[in-house]
Amino acid sequence: QKEVEQDPGPLSVPEGAIVSLNCTYSNSAFQYFMWYRQYSRKGPELLMYTYSSGNKEDGRFTAQVDKSSKYISLFIRDSQPSDSATYLCATFTGGFKTIFGAGTRLFVKA
Amino acid sequence: DTGVSQDPRHKITKRGQNVTFRCDPISEHNRLYWYRQTLGQGPEFLTYFQNEAQLEKSRLLSDRFSAERPKGSFSTLEIQRTEQGDSAMYLCASSWTSGGASNEQFFGPGTRLTVL
């Protein structure tokens, strides 16, 4: 079993839709959770960063962590074609090794 | 403002050849990481430096792989006797820590290696 599981998609939505992206993880020691966005042939860029459980909002993006169920989510409101990318969830224990999910490919159709 | 840079962006080589990649981190960052990413997968951790010290190597990093970070600045990743299975995107990332737990990593654009 992978430490971080993520549905690879692809996920296709119309412009303006609310997008929900999800991951599960296995190690309850994970405390820090990130979402990265990766455009084709580019390196990942950090979108959201949360510690422990709870919600964090940044513009159209909301990250949610539920440690009791080991479930992390990213919501994108009013999705735009420019949001089309691969979204990677990631976590680490507080040291240095970051563990990534496989990424979910998102397509937002105009 | 310069982010993390990597060179070359693309490398095509024949099986058995040696290749070397370079990463220049964000200047004030003391931590540097190498990852490997294959198609349809997330980045997989390879190795990590804090300043010039290599503190951790993944089991993915076979004896054919070596990484250095002289003087705690740029880093190189060398692959000797390349194999077709080494074909992947090699990503470098850097971060700053002053003793806190934050580990927000900033990634470079990657070097795409193709081994023929």
Side-chain angles (χ1 to χ4, degrees):
Chain A
Q1 180 190 9
K2 290 186 177 180
E3 291 184 277
V4 179
E5 298 275 2
Q6 184 175 9
D7 186 339
L11 179 63
S12 183
V13 301
E15 183 176 359
I18 296 174
V19 176
S20 173
L21 303 167
N22 307 292
C23 289
T24 58
Y25 62 94
S26 59
N27 189 344
S28 57
F30 292 146
Q31 299 180 66
Y32 300 89
F33 305 93
M34 291 84 76
W35 283 95
Y36 283 84
R37 177 175 61 196
Q38 186 173 26
Y39 291 112
S40 181
R41 302 185 181 278
K42 297 289 178 69
E45 58 176 323
L46 182 67
L47 268 181
M48 303 283 289
Y49 174 97
T50 55
Y51 171 70
S52 194
S53 285
N55 292 358
K56 184 173 183 178
E57 187 173 321
D58 184 2
R60 297 185 296 111
F61 298 89
T62 299
Q64 194 171 78
V65 177
D66 183 348
K67 292 197 74 181
S68 63
S69 58
K70 298 189 182 70
Y71 199 81
I72 55 179
S73 303
L74 178 70
F75 299 97
I76 307 174
R77 291 183 299 280
D78 187 26
S79 56
Q80 302 295 310
S82 58
D83 295 329
S84 298
T86 296
Y87 290 80
L88 298 154
C89 61
T91 181
F92 72 105
T93 60
F96 54 86
K97 180 181 175 183
T98 299
I99 300 168
F100 287 85
T104 299
R105 292 176 64 196
L106 172 67
F107 296 96
V108 181
K109 298 172 293 184
Chain B
D1 173 45
T2 57
V4 178
S5 61
Q6 292 186 246
D7 184 70
R9 295 292 307 276
H10 304 275
K11 180 70 177 178
I12 300 174
T13 191
K14 292 182 179 179
R15 188 178 52 174
Q17 298 294 306
N18 298 344
V19 294
T20 299
F21 309 141
R22 176 179 170 125
C23 170
D24 287 89
I26 294 172
S27 58
E28 61 268 26
H29 285 183
N30 58 351
R31 288 184 172 176
L32 186 146
Y33 315 79
W34 285 99
Y35 291 85
R36 180 172 67 189
Q37 186 176 26
T38 54
L39 196 61
Q41 298 299 315
E44 294 176 292
F45 173 81
L46 292 178
T47 190
Y48 148 74
F49 291 84
Q50 178 142 331
N51 300 312
E52 68 276 9
Q54 187 175 19
L55 298 185
E56 183 72 14
K57 290 174 63 174
S58 164
R59 286 172 290 179
L60 293 174
L61 217 62
S62 75
D63 291 344
R64 297 184 297 106
F65 288 71
S66 63
E68 294 182 343
R69 192 184 182 198
K71 302 178 183 177
S73 56
F74 70 93
S75 175
T76 58
L77 178 68
E78 181 182 17
I79 309 174
Q80 297 181 327
R81 304 182 302 282
T82 51
E83 301 173 356
Q84 288 184 325
D86 297 331
S87 296
M89 174 80 90
Y90 289 85
L91 292 163
C92 175
S94 68
S95 69
W96 166 255
T97 180
S98 58
S102 174
N103 193 31
E104 299 179 51
Q105 297 178 25
F106 296 83
F107 282 81
T111 294
R112 183 170 296 279
L113 173 66
T114 302
V115 182
L116 302 175

